[in-house]
Amino acid sequence: MAFLEVKGITKLFGGLTAVDKVSLQVEKGEIVSIIGPNGAGKTTLFNMLTGVYTLSEGEIIFEGKIIHNRTPQEIVQAGLARTFQNIRLFAEMRVIENVLVGMHINTHYTFLDLLFRTKKFRSVESEKHRTAVEILESIGLKDKMHNYATNLPYGDQRRLEIARAISTNAKILLLDEPAAGMNPQESEELLRFIRGLRDKGYTIILIEHDMNVVMNISDRIYVIDHGKKIAEGLPAEIANNKKVIEAYLGRSE
Amino acid sequence: MVLQQLSNGLTLGMVYALIAVGYSLVFGILRLVNFSHGSVYAFGAHMAMLFVSMQFGIIPAFILSIVLTGILGIAIDKMALAPLRAKKSKGIAALITTIGISYIIQNVLMITFGSQTKFFPKLFDFGSIYIGGVAFNTTQICISGVSLMLLLILSCVIRYTKVGLAMRAVEQNQKAANLMGIDVNFVVTFTFFLGGASAAIAGTLISGYYQIVYPNMGFVAGLKAFSAAVLGGIGVLYGSIFGGLVVGISESFAAAYLGGSYRDAVAFLILIIVLLIKPTGLFGKKGITKV
Amino acid sequence: MKEKLSNLSNRINAFIESNKKIVYPVLAILILGLPYVGSSQYILRIIIMIGVYSMLSLSLGLVTGYAGQVSLGHAAFYAIGAYVSALVSISFNLNFFITAPIAAFIAGICGLLLGLPTLRLSGTYLAITTLGFCEVVRMVLLNWESVTRGPLGISRIPKPSFLGIELTISNFGLYYLMVAFLALTTLAVVAIVRSKMGRALMAIREDELAATMMGVKTTYYKVAAFVISAFFSGLAGAFYAHMIRFIDPNTFTFDTSIMILSIVILGGMGTIGGMFLGSALLVSFPEVLRFLQEYRFVVYGAVLVVMMRYRPQGILGGQKKTPYKLPKGGG
Amino acid sequence: MLSIRNINTHYGNIHALKGISLEVKQGEIVTLIGSNGAGKSTTLGSITGLLKATSGEVWFKGQNITNASPSEIVKMGISLSPEGREVFPALTVEENLQLGAFTRKDKKGIKESYERVYELFPRLFERKKQTAGTLSGGEQQMLAIGRALMSSPQLLLLDEPSLGLAPNLVLMIFELIQSINKQGTTVLLVEQNANMALSIANRGYVLETGKVTLSDDAKALSNNESVRKAYLGHI
Amino acid sequence: QSSSKIKIAVAGPLTGDFAEYGTGFKNAVELMVEEWNKKGGVLGKQVEVVVFDDKNNGEEAATIAEKIVADKDIKAVIGHFASGVCMAASPKYQEAGLVEMSPSASHPDYTKEGEFIFRNNTVINVEAKVAVDLATKTLGKKKVGILSVKTDWGTKTAEITKTLVKDAGGEVVAHQEVVDGTIDFSPNITKLNSAGAEVVIVAAMYNSLAPFATQYKAVNPKIELVGFSNAYSQQLIDLAKGSAENIHFPTIFFHGSADPKVAEFVKAYKDKYGSSPSSLTAQAYDSAGMILQAIKNAGKADRTAIKDELYKMNYPGVTGATKFENKIGDAVKTFTMVKVQNGKFVEVK
Ligand SMILES: Nc1ncnc2c1ncn2[C@@H]1O[C@H](COP(=O)(O)OP(=O)(O)OP(=O)(O)O)[C@@H](O)[C@H]1O
Ligand SMILES: Nc1ncnc2c1ncn2[C@@H]1O[C@H](COP(=O)(O)OP(=O)(O)OP(=O)(O)O)[C@@H](O)[C@H]1O
Ligand SMILES: [Mg+2]
Ligand SMILES: [Mg+2]
């Protein structure tokens, strides 16, 4: 069985079928992209994977365990973390604090530890701060760690979202349009960064409209249209798939 | 007796509803709980009393008080709240500002009029009507009538006019409303005028009903009306009327069957229970935030 | 002007930061020596009340300032603490130092009872529920006559006594007791906010859903904040009851709740120092403004309005310019 | 038509625009490029009156609009499709569009505009009654652009219109910009996709940390070595 | 001890919801002091009144009590208003040994704090007896309803009234309680009326009694009402108009009293402040008189001496003769019975 196995999941909003019996498999260490026209149901798919929405139908199995009936917190614990298409940072918190919140689930000390500032508390805190700074450095935000998230320009906010997701120590990262709002130069940097993540052992599921990024980085691609999976395959196959070109890519550049 | 208590409760409920509409209106547009509303209501009542005592006649006094209180509403916004909006500060700062304003209004009323309870002439009295042994005071009926009419007019304004559309837009997203060419400040001013005017209407009618006015009259009534507005789903106008009725009737029955000292507790208990079952009030809609 | 002010506060902060070893001991000596520098009992009582409100606002600050859950009914916990301690000490003839923790504990349990069901609510709906809870508590105090003595209130509450010495304002005992309680509260609150719990609370304030998606158990933390907050408010209530020695349901009204909330917001949400500053200002203003006679509360209201207008984020609130302080060995 | 003269804009202590001057002539497509945080959105905000420049002047059609309110500026014929979409979440798609035409009085013209927007974005027509807050990201972007078009502006400001749109729609948007420009609307375009922006623009400005560092013909810019390096990517 | 000044403090609500009462206190005390000062002051010194606002808030009252006791020139305090507020401050006065004379405190425990704590107010059980007599004898009704405010005074009064009604051979058909500040009495009236009350004894101040009377008489014009002395105020008639007719009261202060002192006081008060004094105001006036008299009797302005003299005194004031018995600071009073007739208070014979 695959690392992450999505079996025929469906989401209804009233009369609208936003996601329609979609199945996917993701293997460990892969970068899998999900593309499709606007309103195809990609973000909704992420929302189901991360427990924001309950499924209308189907099941999600991660590392052999059913996770679709778990709370969002349990799903993060299990190892799926995400970024948001509409940036949702902790606006009035500092950049580094955003990352530290991301580390919340693996910051282990008890209430008494924190109340009495025990040795354990101090060592865990300084270790987490060190890791946080490392993560920020790796994504190029170390200089801005004292800033408040809300004051960052759009592109940096996107980066910070990724940093925050990484910091949960997740096994799978679900990135929803991380390159949106970046210029080609910047998205290229991002691309390198994401590759680096994979090399470190992360599995990545990516939603992206920037074909430069998608085609260059993905191991495999799924295409969704109107809630249904219409194609899957290697980047080269997808790029030449008639259906995909018609529904999504438009005339090639 | 049960019927009589029901009728008592209905009137009381209409009283709350009348005040609650003002809360809902301002909240509906600005997402701001206007804590000065209770004292604005007291201000309206005092103005009406003042003009009546100056021999203006009841109707002109009523109208003058509505206009003046509406202007007070505008002044509150222009002087205290608009600067906060310009700074894009959090709603909670505005909450404290309105608390400060209510201190000012209430104490100024006290200094000018004294803290004692004063007489207010009866507005319209055509005696009581008896239906099946239950007494309906005509004043009660008038209060209900006016509340319903006010609500109807306000609902129509918000639903069907351009100003109404602008009001809803400002509620949703002020920045975008600006970009649409909506004069946000005007819309807010207009809202505060309506809020003030409705408070004056409520203040005058209710004072006429109980025939008394006093500077602190807005405090308890304001709290109850606020909870009525929340109970009905704050921001939803017809919800306010309904919430007002629920609070009024439950209070009336609690006072009769549990004792008068329980009435306030029961009103709040019902509020809490309703909110626990339906966290956005009876008619409130959940905020839409797509992830 | 404003720039200068905020620069000043920054510089003060920086000074404190860099001279920790000197500043804190000096401060401690100042606080401990205060009653001996010839301040009158009148001033001392005001200072003690500032302490009481600092405790209250520190604890509400956890819920409102850090977790972003506005409560309009915090006086309820204050009242519960006061009543429990007063009643227990009178009925069982127990020492204040036993009854006060009991009172705080029971207030904490009430915080749990309120917190658990109401945390589905948010914003205005939560605010009105807490207000309602406070009114219900007041009505219980008023009507449950067999226990609370209803409108008669509780009179002749014993003074706190320590090793057989009755603590009063004149022998400075109450002052030092206050200092101890406040220190306890402050240390606990500081410990909480400078930890993963504090960060979790702030994350909830900023974006509850995003916090959830980071694995923060939002309900747990909100309830925990409520309970801790109720605990310390209850402790403040116990202290107050034994200091003032008479309490009745009118002692703890909506006005008290509003006062506490005003301090939190005026001082600056999500700050510790702001709570002290806010308490000092709002408790002393009515006294300072006494010369205005009946205009006292007109001006008081105006002060609130003006302060919010010029510093809507609160006196010490808003974004700080000082860099984030990394723990030793971190980063 | 639009002329910005030496404006400075601050966010509190942050000096975001440091003396920017630029010019948009009637009938042009002008593009602003620059990396993250360069001040592009801030520039647009300062033109529309959402942000107040601390010094400098903004002129539009011979009038000084530096201190005009946003609503006055919209009435004069400037319309912005903002960064972050800024739709009215609880209102329906239709009501959002209706608000786009808030300053217009010509019923017939408005109706035509509706039809045009729906024709451009059939998806919006399908979702006429859906509340805007539940639209997908791309759908909201369509709505934001459609809404800006509803006022039939003389000067259209677009802040990253292609953001979050599928490739086929991106192509369509750029075609759209060209076509409305041909019909007489002047466009000031902020784009990350500098390649495409320069390909349809007449002129361009390069912003770096709050300053204009380059301004030239669009062609010249896209051939400029340093621009290519910094903004156009190598892929 | 031989300081140059004699100061009397007035402490009460001058701001907030109860400002009218504090203002009444202040006016009355100033009037009394002015009269003494005109006659040369006390012990040859002019007396000064210092006023402290407590907003009717216990916390503030305790704070200003500190301020008051620290001023050695202050020889006694007249105030505070509500019992709860008085009792928050009284431990301080007792501890410092300064007389606190409240014209209004009604809590049974108030004077138990110590011997420096006095009140010049009626004592509940005596007054309730008169009220019940009015209801059952004067008005001759047997079916009695009770309305009381849920304050220390109202609750205690209602409790005592209940037993007294039974002793007088009447029947309490219904008892309704309301919280202070209630203005809508319809549910209570419905209840009282359907229980068949012929007379309602109302333990509430004028601002509740007036709307209650108005609302009740709209439902049942034949109902008889009996109030208490703290509702004795011109305001009652101004507010309730015709509905105030035939409300009966016990009172210790009566405008129309044959005593020339009273007429003089009422005239002086009206001339100076433009309104007529209420019962509580008159009680404050006498409180000041007692303090000044005590200083005079003691021959020295000494805090403790004032207390001692008060216990020896039998003061003839506008609220009748007052004395304090058995070293307890509760004033013993005699009552007059009045009713409203043709828009005026008249004595009931
Ligand atoms: N809560 C909701 N209620 C109703 N419809 C919804 C809701 N959420 C999403 N939809 C609809 O479901 C469809 C799928 O939305 P989704 O956000 O998943 O699209 P997407 O593939 O992420 O698109 P994009 O690329 O534009 O972000 C859209 O048409 C959207 O309008
Ligand atoms: N609300 C704000 N508060 C403080 N600083 C801000 C704020 N908004 C923007 N800034 C700062 O102003 C500068 C310019 O930001 P602006 O948003 O105009 O950049 P941009 O060029 O549009 O970038 P992007 O491509 O990311 O959208 C940045 O340094 C940013 O950090
Ligand atoms: Mg999406
Ligand atoms: Mg931008």
Side-chain angles (χ1 to χ4, degrees):
Chain A
M1 181 169 279
F3 193 47
L4 177 72
E5 180 89 35
V6 175
K7 290 188 184 164
I9 59 173
T10 298
K11 181 71 197 173
L12 306 171
F13 293 114
L16 178 81
T17 311
V19 174
D20 194 357
K21 301 210 181 63
V22 170
S23 301
L24 352 143
Q25 292 86 36
V26 178
E27 295 300 340
K28 202 169 176 149
E30 266 192 316
I31 297 181
V32 172
S33 289
I34 299 175
I35 60 173
N38 295 116
K42 304 178 294 295
T43 301
T44 308
L45 193 72
F46 269 19
N47 283 336
M48 291 194 282
L49 285 172
T50 51
V52 180
Y53 291 154
T54 51
L55 313 194
S56 305
E57 209 180 291
E59 51 186 27
I60 302 170
I61 299 161
F62 176 58
E63 292 188 309
K65 290 182 213 94
I66 289 180
I67 59 163
H68 60 255
N69 49 8
R70 299 194 192 175
T71 62
Q73 286 98 336
E74 287 164 346
I75 294 175
V76 195
Q77 284 278 7
L80 267 72
R82 71 176 291 177
T83 66
F84 298 92
Q85 179 170 9
N86 305 310
I87 297 171
R88 302 189 75 133
L89 288 169
F90 305 122
E92 294 292 328
M93 290 172 79
R94 311 222 194 206
V95 166
I96 185 168
E97 286 175 318
N98 270 274
V99 176
L100 287 165
V101 173
M103 291 178 172
H104 181 86
I105 48 171
N106 39 53
T107 307
H108 299 290
Y109 46 73
T110 64
F111 184 69
L112 290 179
D113 282 325
L114 77 84
L115 212 49
F116 295 105
R117 316 253 109 181
T118 57
K119 204 166 153 206
K120 177 166 169 208
F121 169 85
R122 278 174 285 143
S123 73
V124 172
E125 278 287 297
S126 51
E127 181 210 319
K128 292 300 160 190
H129 278 80
R130 218 176 311 123
T131 324
V133 175
E134 274 165 28
I135 292 174
L136 285 173
E137 184 159 29
S138 71
I139 204 163
L141 282 174
K142 187 182 173 193
D143 296 341
K144 299 190 175 169
M145 73 176 185
H146 303 292
N147 285 25
Y148 284 83
T150 178
N151 297 346
L152 296 181
Y154 194 84
D156 284 344
Q157 296 198 5
R158 286 239 162 263
R159 268 188 266 263
L160 181 53
E161 278 237 332
I162 299 173
R164 190 178 64 176
I166 295 170
S167 65
T168 62
N169 242 348
K171 297 169 189 147
I172 301 190
L173 295 176
L174 301 107
L175 308 179
D176 198 346
E177 300 194 23
M182 294 188 180
N183 67 31
Q185 172 72 25
E186 290 161 341
S187 46
E188 204 172 312
E189 267 168 43
L190 182 76
L191 200 145
R192 270 198 292 275
F193 179 75
I194 294 174
R195 275 210 193 101
L197 288 177
R198 182 197 36 202
D199 298 343
K200 282 188 203 144
Y202 287 97
T203 307
I204 287 157
I205 309 180
L206 183 72
I207 297 177
E208 188 50 71
H209 289 302
D210 184 335
M211 284 307 111
N212 278 332
V213 174
V214 172
M215 294 302 166
N216 278 294
I217 203 176
S218 313
D219 295 315
R220 287 184 305 117
I221 298 176
Y222 288 93
V223 188
I224 305 184
D225 186 21
H226 283 95
K228 290 198 178 71
K229 187 167 75 185
I230 58 166
E232 62 176 289
L234 302 174
E237 296 167 9
I238 295 297
N240 297 316
N241 183 315
K242 274 237 169 58
K243 262 204 219 146
V244 178
I245 292 172
E246 192 185 322
Y248 182 61
L249 296 175
R251 78 182 141 80
S252 60
E253 284 173 55
Chain B
M1 187 164 108
V2 175
L3 281 180
Q4 183 67 56
Q5 293 293 10
L6 191 66
S7 129
N8 294 339
L10 280 173
T11 315
L12 192 62
M14 275 299 170
V15 167
Y16 291 145
L18 209 48
I19 311 174
V21 167
Y23 275 105
S24 250
L25 203 61
V26 171
F27 184 88
I29 307 306
L30 292 175
R31 304 276 121 184
L32 162 72
V33 178
N34 180 6
F35 262 105
S36 64
H37 194 66
S39 52
V40 171
Y41 153 86
F43 177 86
H46 277 78
M47 287 303 114
M49 181 192 73
L50 183 71
F51 295 128
V52 167
S53 73
M54 286 161 73
Q55 312 295 334
F56 274 87
I58 298 237
I59 300 290
F62 200 170
I63 293 172
L64 266 174
S65 131
I66 292 175
V67 172
L68 223 74
T69 314
I71 293 174
L72 174 71
I74 296 178
I76 290 173
D77 177 56
K78 286 271 175 259
M79 283 168 18
L81 297 170
L84 290 184
R85 256 196 321 279
K87 285 192 175 172
K88 299 188 178 67
S89 67
K90 282 198 184 131
I92 192 124
L95 184 97
I96 297 299
T97 302
T98 61
I99 288 171
I101 288 167
S102 85
Y103 268 111
I104 298 177
I105 295 177
Q106 206 175 309
N107 281 281
V108 167
L109 284 180
M110 249 171 221
I111 292 165
T112 4
F113 293 94
S115 77
Q116 64 272 34
T117 310
K118 287 163 290 285
F119 177 72
F120 193 96
K122 218 175 188 124
L123 284 181
F124 11 65
D125 187 12
F126 316 109
S128 296
I129 304 172
Y130 290 88
I131 304 172
V134 179
F136 289 97
N137 193 310
T138 39
T139 317
Q140 300 181 348
I141 297 169
C142 287
I143 288 186
S144 312
V146 172
S147 308
L148 286 175
M149 217 159 70
L150 189 71
L151 171 81
L152 215 68
I153 294 172
L154 288 177
S155 300
C156 286
V157 167
I158 291 179
R159 198 108 306 264
Y160 301 111
T161 65
K162 213 168 168 186
V163 178
L165 181 65
M167 285 165 91
R168 282 187 292 150
V170 171
E171 169 200 351
Q172 297 281 309
N173 186 335
Q174 287 196 16
K175 181 174 168 194
N178 266 315
L179 289 174
M180 299 301 107
I182 293 169
D183 188 341
V184 173
N185 280 325
F186 170 77
V187 170
V188 174
T189 300
F190 182 71
T191 308
F192 270 91
F193 180 83
L194 287 182
S198 73
I201 294 173
T204 310
L205 284 178
I206 293 165
S207 303
Y209 175 49
Y210 292 115
Q211 293 178 49
I212 50 177
V213 274
Y214 51 104
N216 191 31
M217 62 191 281
F219 178 68
V220 176
L223 279 191
K224 297 276 182 56
F226 175 36
S227 45
V230 175
L231 182 66
I234 189 160
V236 185
L237 291 186
Y238 57 89
S240 301
I241 297 270
F242 199 83
L245 292 181
V246 171
V247 172
I249 292 169
S250 62
E251 243 189 65
S252 181
F253 278 96
Y257 300 105
L258 295 172
S261 50
Y262 287 95
R263 65 195 281 177
D264 294 359
V266 167
F268 281 113
L269 267 181
I270 290 191
L271 171 79
I272 293 174
I273 292 167
V274 167
L275 288 186
L276 291 182
I277 297 166
K278 188 151 186 312
T280 50
L282 290 170
F283 301 101
K285 279 162 284 182
K286 242 188 158 158
I288 299 152
T289 41
K290 183 174 176 288
V291 188
Chain C
M1 175 65 194
K2 256 188 299 164
E3 294 284 290
K4 264 188 213 151
L5 266 183
S6 70
N7 278 343
L8 187 70
S9 81
N10 275 331
R11 246 184 287 156
I12 292 174
N13 268 339
F15 178 80
I16 294 176
E17 257 332 293
S18 51
N19 297 298
K20 250 185 184 167
K21 291 243 160 63
I22 310 165
V23 172
Y24 285 134
V26 168
L27 208 63
I29 291 169
L30 274 182
I31 289 171
L32 293 178
L34 185 77
Y36 294 96
V37 292
S39 44
S40 72
Q41 292 197 34
Y42 167 66
I43 303 280
L44 216 50
R45 189 185 275 267
I46 294 172
I47 292 173
I48 293 174
M49 284 320 296
I50 291 173
V52 170
Y53 277 99
S54 299
M55 278 175 80
L56 291 168
S57 53
L58 278 168
S59 55
L60 179 65
L62 213 52
V63 171
T64 301
Y66 282 91
Q69 314 292 312
V70 175
S71 162
L72 293 174
H74 218 60
F77 302 117
Y78 186 41
I80 290 169
Y83 262 86
V84 170
S85 184
L87 287 170
V88 172
S89 70
I90 288 176
S91 324
F92 301 101
N93 202 6
L94 287 174
N95 186 293
F96 170 77
F97 291 94
I98 299 167
T99 63
I102 296 176
F105 189 72
I106 290 184
I109 290 177
C110 293
L112 185 71
L113 292 182
L114 174 67
L116 270 181
T118 52
L119 287 168
R120 284 179 62 204
L121 307 174
S122 59
T124 315
Y125 295 97
L126 177 69
I128 188 82
T129 306
T130 54
L131 189 157
F133 172 75
C134 186
E135 284 302 300
V136 170
V137 166
R138 222 161 65 80
M139 290 302 141
V140 169
L141 296 180
L142 196 61
N143 287 310
W144 194 12
E145 290 175 31
S146 56
V147 174
T148 63
R149 303 188 57 205
L152 291 177
I154 305 169
S155 51
R156 326 201 58 193
I157 301 165
K159 295 174 194 155
S161 77
F162 186 67
L163 303 174
I165 305 165
E166 277 197 345
L167 306 181
T168 62
I169 293 184
S170 36
N171 70 13
F172 305 156
L174 282 176
Y175 173 80
Y176 289 114
L177 182 59
M178 182 70 246
V179 170
F181 274 21
L182 184 55
L184 203 70
T185 312
T186 311
L187 288 177
V189 171
V190 169
I192 288 166
V193 302
R194 298 211 185 134
S195 74
K196 71 168 184 175
M197 177 163 176
R199 295 190 294 264
L201 293 178
M202 287 193 277
I204 290 168
R205 175 187 73 199
E206 294 299 318
D207 188 334
E208 189 161 344
L209 186 104
T212 307
M213 302 313 283
M214 292 301 119
V216 174
K217 294 196 174 97
T218 51
T219 312
Y220 169 84
Y221 280 106
K222 282 197 280 181
V223 173
F226 247 94
V227 170
I228 294 165
S229 171
F231 179 91
F232 286 110
S233 301
L235 195 63
F239 176 87
Y240 181 72
H242 291 260
M243 168 171 116
I244 197 97
R245 303 186 54 219
F246 172 81
I247 53 173
D248 68 5
N250 286 335
T251 314
F252 312 97
T253 59
F254 181 62
D255 276 349
T256 317
S257 298
I258 287 296
M259 169 93 163
I260 307 170
L261 184 66
S262 305
I263 292 172
V264 171
I265 294 162
L266 202 88
M269 302 218 311
T271 66
I272 304 287
M275 304 302 103
F276 293 95
L277 210 58
S279 304
L281 288 177
L282 287 195
V283 171
S284 63
F285 266 149
E287 292 300 322
V288 174
L289 298 178
R290 239 169 223 300
F291 70 95
L292 293 167
Q293 298 177 351
E294 70 261 43
Y295 292 94
R296 190 151 74 109
F297 286 93
V298 178
V299 175
Y300 184 83
V303 167
L304 286 186
V305 172
V306 170
M307 294 234 246
M308 283 340 289
R309 176 166 173 169
Y310 290 104
R311 269 198 88 76
Q313 70 277 47
I315 300 171
L316 298 186
Q319 302 182 349
K320 291 181 190 53
K321 302 215 178 61
T322 44
Y324 180 86
K325 225 178 80 206
L326 290 166
K328 266 189 222 110
Chain D
M1 181 178 216
L2 176 80
S3 146
I4 297 176
R5 299 177 193 163
N6 199 23
I7 57 168
N8 285 282
T9 304
H10 295 256
Y11 296 97
N13 288 347
I14 297 166
H15 194 171
L17 298 187
K18 300 167 187 153
I20 294 224
S21 298
L22 54 87
E23 195 82 29
V24 182
K25 297 199 194 83
Q26 178 95 39
E28 275 189 318
I29 299 178
V30 174
T31 181
L32 284 183
I33 54 181
S35 53
N36 265 300
K40 306 180 294 294
S41 301
T42 309
T43 307
L44 296 188
S46 307
I47 296 171
T48 52
L50 284 177
L51 298 169
K52 287 279 165 245
T54 32
S55 69
E57 288 177 351
V58 184
W59 289 75
F60 179 62
K61 293 201 301 184
Q63 269 179 286
N64 187 338
I65 58 164
T66 321
N67 293 314
S69 73
S71 65
E72 285 164 355
I73 292 173
V74 175
K75 284 189 192 113
M76 293 176 71
I78 300 181
S79 152
L80 167 70
S81 163
E83 182 174 43
R85 291 125 194 194
E86 306 283 352
V87 296
F88 300 104
L91 301 186
T92 62
V93 168
E94 196 164 18
E95 285 168 322
N96 267 275
L97 292 178
Q98 194 185 342
L99 279 161
F102 191 79
T103 52
R104 290 176 68 183
K105 302 227 156 51
D106 55 325
K107 286 239 168 69
K108 214 174 123 227
I110 295 177
K111 198 159 162 262
E112 278 167 17
S113 296
Y114 268 122
E115 280 162 10
R116 175 126 173 275
V117 170
Y118 283 145
E119 197 184 313
L120 286 170
F121 305 109
R123 175 52 71 97
L124 294 183
F125 184 72
E126 281 169 36
R127 299 296 162 86
K128 235 170 31 181
K129 300 282 175 216
Q130 189 171 328
T131 48
T134 60
L135 293 176
S136 84
E139 288 163 348
Q140 290 186 5
Q141 185 68 41
M142 298 175 212
L143 182 56
I145 298 168
R147 196 179 58 180
L149 292 175
M150 284 299 292
S151 68
S152 70
Q154 297 168 29
L155 174 64
L156 179 64
L157 311 178
L158 296 167
D159 200 344
E160 307 194 21
S162 71
L163 190 136
L165 290 183
N168 52 353
L169 272 175
V170 174
L171 293 174
M172 191 211 96
I173 289 289
F174 281 97
E175 279 164 15
L176 169 74
I177 293 170
Q178 282 177 299
S179 93
I180 60 167
N181 178 253
K182 287 220 181 74
Q183 289 160 31
T185 308
T186 310
V187 178
L188 177 57
L189 173 67
V190 168
E191 253 304 330
Q192 294 293 356
N193 201 332
N195 261 327
M196 290 191 79
L198 288 172
S199 75
I200 63 164
N202 304 93
R203 291 187 303 115
Y205 289 85
V206 177
L207 250 58
E208 261 169 46
T209 56
K211 288 194 188 113
V212 175
T213 51
L214 256 180
S215 71
D216 209 338
D217 215 63
K219 280 243 169 55
L221 280 180
S222 44
N223 293 326
N224 180 309
E225 197 47 43
S226 62
V227 172
R228 296 188 67 83
K229 221 174 179 170
Y231 306 109
L232 303 182
H234 303 285
I235 317 165
Chain E
Q1 264 297 336
S2 61
S3 77
S4 57
K5 284 186 194 150
I6 297 178
K7 289 190 198 164
I8 306 284
V10 180
L14 295 165
T15 54
D17 305 343
F18 300 90
E20 54 181 303
Y21 299 104
T23 312
F25 288 3
K26 169 176 167 271
N27 290 347
V29 173
E30 279 175 351
L31 187 64
M32 173 59 85
V33 166
E34 197 174 286
E35 282 164 17
W36 278 72
N37 281 346
K38 260 191 216 142
K39 288 185 272 176
V42 62
L43 309 178
K45 286 179 192 162
Q46 292 284 301
V47 180
E48 197 183 314
V49 179
V50 273
V51 184
F52 295 88
D53 173 26
D54 66 14
K55 208 179 160 221
N56 204 35
N57 171 313
E59 196 183 301
E60 273 207 25
T63 306
I64 57 176
E66 298 283 2
K67 204 169 177 171
I68 290 172
V69 301
D71 184 345
K72 294 294 173 220
D73 292 340
I74 294 177
K75 305 304 176 192
V77 189
I78 294 164
H80 302 240
F81 174 62
S83 299
V85 178
C86 293
M87 290 170 78
S90 51
K92 187 75 233 174
Y93 296 124
Q94 175 63 29
E95 181 194 308
L98 180 71
V99 167
E100 176 189 18
M101 170 86 75
S102 171
S104 52
S106 51
H107 195 292
D109 292 347
Y110 164 66
T111 50
K112 289 184 190 151
E113 180 66 36
E115 50 182 4
F116 280 90
I117 310 304
F118 293 81
R119 72 174 121 213
N120 180 32
N121 193 11
T122 59
V123 178
I124 291 171
N125 37 15
V126 187
E127 185 173 6
K129 178 86 178 54
V130 186
V132 171
D133 280 352
L134 277 170
T136 55
K137 302 217 174 78
T138 314
L139 290 166
K141 305 290 185 196
K142 294 290 170 243
K143 293 190 157 178
V144 181
I146 300 175
L147 180 92
S148 62
V149 285
K150 193 103 187 172
T151 61
D152 60 284
W153 173 75
T155 307
K156 210 74 196 168
T157 303
E159 187 186 312
I160 294 168
T161 304
K162 269 188 200 164
T163 43
L164 289 173
V165 169
K166 271 183 214 120
D167 296 348
E171 181 201 351
V172 177
V173 291
H175 173 208
Q176 291 283 295
E177 289 186 296
V178 292
V179 290
D180 208 7
T182 303
I183 58 166
D184 176 74
F185 296 98
S186 45
N188 315 97
I189 291 169
T190 303
K191 196 88 182 181
L192 288 162
N193 204 37
S194 65
E198 296 165 338
V199 59
V200 180
I201 299 179
V202 183
M205 314 253 276
Y206 82 89
N207 55 354
S208 304
L209 178 53
F212 180 72
T214 313
Q215 290 167 33
Y216 211 128
K217 291 197 174 164
V219 176
N220 176 4
K222 288 203 292 286
I223 192 70
E224 297 288 2
L225 299 172
V226 174
F228 285 83
S229 58
N230 54 10
Y232 176 83
S233 163
Q234 183 58 36
Q235 303 276 354
L236 177 73
I237 299 173
D238 292 349
L239 285 181
K241 305 278 187 231
S243 304
E245 281 301 299
N246 215 37
I247 298 182
H248 283 60
F249 293 96
T251 181
I252 49 174
F253 169 69
F254 173 48
H255 289 76
S257 161
D259 189 340
K261 276 199 304 291
V262 175
E264 242 170 70
F265 163 62
V266 171
K267 183 172 181 309
Y269 193 93
K270 263 195 176 155
D271 287 349
K272 190 157 185 211
Y273 304 111
S275 60
S276 68
S278 70
S279 200
L280 288 175
T281 308
Q283 282 158 223
Y285 179 76
D286 277 350
S287 304
M290 282 189 271
I291 301 286
L292 293 171
Q293 189 62 45
I295 297 176
K296 189 173 175 195
N297 292 355
K300 55 180 177 182
D302 173 78
R303 288 177 172 183
T304 312
I306 292 174
K307 174 209 70 177
D308 294 335
E309 285 302 325
L310 282 173
Y311 284 116
K312 292 185 210 151
M313 182 180 296
N314 190 347
Y315 181 81
V318 296
T319 60
T322 309
K323 58 185 178 189
F324 300 98
E325 293 175 341
N326 307 326
K327 287 251 160 193
I328 295 171
D330 290 333
V332 181
K333 293 284 198 180
T334 47
F335 285 88
T336 317
M337 293 184 279
V338 296
K339 67 176 176 185
V340 182
Q341 197 174 51
N342 299 326
K344 288 211 167 58
F345 292 110
V346 299
E347 195 163 355
V348 180
K349 300 279 151 33

